[in-house]
Structures are given as C-alpha cells and as structure tokens.
Amino acid sequence: MSNIKYNEHEEAYELPYKIWGEMMTVRFYTESEETIISNLKDIAKKLAQLDSGKGTVAGMLIDEGYYEGSAADALAKILKIEDVYVDIDDEDIVVCFDTGTDDGFMKGFVHVELFGELFEITGWVT
C-alpha cells in the first residue's frame, strides 16, 4: 500500500519526505498516482539532490544578492524550506520550493526550481 495521498484542495498528490533535516509534505502535480510510482526512482534522485544542495542554494542566494550576508556556510545552517512540490510533465521532473530566513538579512522567501541538474532562483515569493 502506498503512502501517497490525494489532496483535493491542492489538486495534488502528497507524500511525506525528509528534506534538510525536517519531515514535510511534498506535493506532486501530475495526472495520476501511477505517474509518481513509475517515476519514483528519478523523483527520489531529484529530492536527494535537493536535500544535499542546501549549501549550493545558500551560495546562490548570496551571489545573486538575495541575502545580505556573506557566509554561505552560516546561511546554510539557518535556511528554511517550505512549499516543496514536484511537477511531472512529459518526462520532465522539476522540483520547486521556497526558501529563506527570518534573521533580517533577507526581505522574504524566494522561489527556487531544480530543473535537470541545476538550481535556479526564479524570484521573490509574492
């Protein structure tokens, strides 16, 4: 039996997953649960890449001017993650999430996408 649940309000499938040291609900936007199951190996690789990419994201936030501090290692320790979802379309698997801090050095959270092997900050969460 699967741990995958359907959330009618979000119109997405959901699965609990541990990312950056905390359990959270990951949403999946796809037509069917079977699509998730048939892509589970690739999805797991993407989520593992996200889980191990906290330092990379921290460096990007500094380099691209979203965070006013200068120490990526220190930022990586305080980064928060929320609203993680996976979009599965035509064999493309994109992991999206919002990240930021509440330490006063960021004006809010930013939206980030993991497409292929690269993280991309797409802008401030509005």
Side-chain angles (χ1 to χ4, degrees), residues 9 18 43 48 50 60 72 92 106 119:
H9 176 72
K18 189 173 186 175
I43 292 167
L50 167 57
M60 291 175 65
D92 286 330
M106 273 183 89
F119 290 98

Side-chain angles (χ1 to χ4, degrees), residues 19-64:
I19 300 173
W20 294 2
E22 69 179 87
M23 285 301 296
M24 61 188 56
T25 299
V26 176
R27 291 186 318 274
F28 295 84
Y29 292 99
T30 186
E31 294 298 317
S32 68
E33 183 176 343
E34 290 76 31
T35 303
I36 298 168
I37 293 169
S38 65
N39 288 288
L40 208 49
K41 183 178 176 183
D42 293 329
I43 292 167
K45 284 181 186 178
K46 285 281 194 183
L47 291 174
Q49 187 177 355
L50 167 57
D51 193 42
S52 66
K54 194 174 188 181
T56 301
V57 172
M60 291 175 65
L61 290 170
I62 292 169
D63 292 346
E64 296 183 25

Side-chain angles (χ1 to χ4, degrees), residues 44-101:
K45 284 181 186 178
K46 285 281 194 183
L47 291 174
Q49 187 177 355
L50 167 57
D51 193 42
S52 66
K54 194 174 188 181
T56 301
V57 172
M60 291 175 65
L61 290 170
I62 292 169
D63 292 346
E64 296 183 25
Y66 289 98
Y67 186 77
E68 294 178 17
S70 61
D73 290 344
L75 174 56
K77 292 177 184 174
I78 62 171
L79 266 182
K80 296 180 179 185
I81 188 169
E82 57 188 36
D83 296 326
V84 179
Y85 66 90
V86 178
D87 191 4
I88 305 171
D89 273 337
D90 301 327
E91 300 189 29
D92 286 330
I93 298 171
V94 182
V95 176
C96 304
F97 60 98
D98 299 336
T99 189
T101 70

Side-chain angles (χ1 to χ4, degrees), residues 103-119:
D103 68 350
F105 289 96
M106 273 183 89
K107 72 177 186 179
F109 276 55
V110 295
H111 187 72
V112 182
E113 295 182 357
L114 172 56
F115 185 80
E117 299 294 317
L118 300 174
F119 290 98

